[in-house]
Amino acid sequence: MKLSAIIVEDEKTSRDILKNYLAKYCPNISVLGEAENVDEALVLIRNNDLDVVFLDVEMPYGNAFDLLDKVGDIDFQTIFVTAYNHYAIDALNAHASYYLMKPISIDDLIKAVDYVTEIRSKEDALQDQVLVPKTNSVDGKITIPQQNGFEVLETNNILYCKADDNYTEIFLKNNKKKLVSKTLKYIEEALSAANFARVHKSYLVNVDEIVKYLKGKGGSIVLSNGKEIMVSASKKSDLLSYFK
């Protein structure tokens, strides 16, 4: 499992050592950036989707706990890396995943990375289970994952879903849309118990919201909000079967 990370450490030598250790002994860690103070770290955290932050405690113009306070809603794992053991209780209270002492032991570093990898794997597995239809026992609803949990949507409020690479945009009747980090095929399976049809490789539509069909090789449909969507020739017969 690949994990994205940043290193927050004011000493360049320490940053280089940790980065080299990670590259050699923890190949599943991808270091996206480095910071030497709280302000630089805050920018990296806000601009990247991170799994883990390697965090020194003492830095210029603030410390690790100041940084975590500024972040607020923390959705990454934190591995403290410090030469001082008297911060251990504070780190524990800050929900640290691991506490590494300098100089860094390679064995301890590997254990720390293995630990956060296991945490992330369990979180991803649980998140996947939430969206799978067979585990969603609430009729007429679907759960979509978010950074801090999941949101519940009523399926009859969904107009259509559009593929966006490995993401899916879900368009709702209230003119809002939700971006979900799941493929359209995954969403299609999650909505298999509802009245949704795949009309194109990029579109999944709520059949109950179709108000018009326009002839053509594949043709096109018009939804209740006026949105026109092309129908691929290979999906035409499947779509029309809903209206026989």
Side-chain angles (χ1 to χ4, degrees):
M1 183 182 186
K2 210 66 170 162
L3 299 181
S4 58
I6 63 169
I7 297 172
V8 184
E9 163 68 63
D10 64 316
E11 296 180 0
K12 185 179 186 306
T13 302
S14 295
R15 292 199 305 271
D16 290 343
I17 290 172
L18 178 54
K19 190 165 59 173
N20 290 336
Y21 279 178
L22 290 171
K24 187 172 182 179
Y25 301 105
C26 306
N28 68 316
I29 296 291
S30 175
V31 178
L32 303 184
E34 303 171 33
E36 61 180 31
N37 56 55
V38 169
D39 291 339
E40 289 180 3
L42 201 56
V43 171
L44 285 175
I45 289 170
R46 288 175 173 168
N47 291 337
N48 292 281
D49 185 12
L50 300 174
D51 295 299
V52 57
V53 172
F54 293 90
L55 184 57
D56 187 16
V57 176
E58 294 192 347
M59 293 175 283
Y61 315 113
N63 61 28
F65 307 106
D66 296 325
L67 172 61
L68 296 177
D69 285 342
K70 289 184 177 181
V71 171
D73 187 13
I74 298 171
D75 60 354
F76 51 80
Q77 302 300 313
T78 306
I79 297 178
F80 278 84
V81 185
T82 180
Y84 306 98
N85 59 16
H86 59 267
Y87 288 115
I89 297 299
D90 290 334
L92 182 63
N93 291 335
H95 305 291
S97 299
Y98 220 92
Y99 194 92
L100 293 175
M101 292 293 297
K102 296 178 183 177
I104 298 172
S105 158
I106 293 172
D107 287 341
D108 287 344
L109 177 62
I110 293 171
K111 288 178 183 178
V113 170
D114 286 346
Y115 182 71
V116 297
T117 301
E118 183 180 0
I119 291 174
R120 277 310 202 198
S121 295
K122 288 179 178 178
E123 288 175 348
D124 285 354
L126 179 60
Q127 181 171 282
D128 286 345
Q129 288 175 4
V130 168
L131 195 58
V132 174
K134 65 182 180 182
T135 66
N136 187 352
S137 60
V138 183
D139 291 337
K141 298 182 186 293
I142 183 176
T143 52
I144 59 172
Q146 295 182 327
Q147 286 187 341
N148 59 350
F150 61 87
E151 182 176 0
V152 180
L153 298 179
E154 293 188 10
T155 55
N156 61 9
N157 282 333
I158 300 173
L159 284 170
Y160 66 98
C161 305
K162 180 183 178 183
D164 183 8
D165 291 330
N166 289 324
Y167 290 79
T168 298
E169 292 179 307
I170 299 179
F171 292 81
L172 306 174
K173 290 182 181 178
N174 60 5
N175 294 321
K176 292 183 178 181
K177 70 177 180 180
K178 308 287 183 179
L179 183 64
V180 186
S181 58
K182 297 293 180 183
T183 63
L184 186 60
K185 184 177 186 300
Y186 197 94
I187 299 298
E188 182 181 13
E189 292 174 357
L191 289 169
S192 60
N195 221 19
F196 282 77
R198 187 77 170 263
V199 298
H200 187 279
K201 67 177 183 179
S202 297
Y203 286 94
L204 178 71
V205 303
N206 185 342
V207 176
D208 294 333
E209 296 299 319
I210 297 175
V211 297
K212 188 183 295 186
Y213 172 77
L214 303 174
K215 289 183 178 180
K217 183 178 180 181
S220 64
I221 56 170
V222 179
L223 299 179
S224 58
N225 68 340
K227 171 70 175 180
E228 184 176 354
I229 297 174
M230 299 301 296
V231 179
S232 64
S234 62
K235 301 293 185 182
K236 180 178 179 179
S237 60
D238 290 341
L239 172 66
L240 294 181
S241 69
Y242 281 90
F243 300 96
K244 288 182 178 179

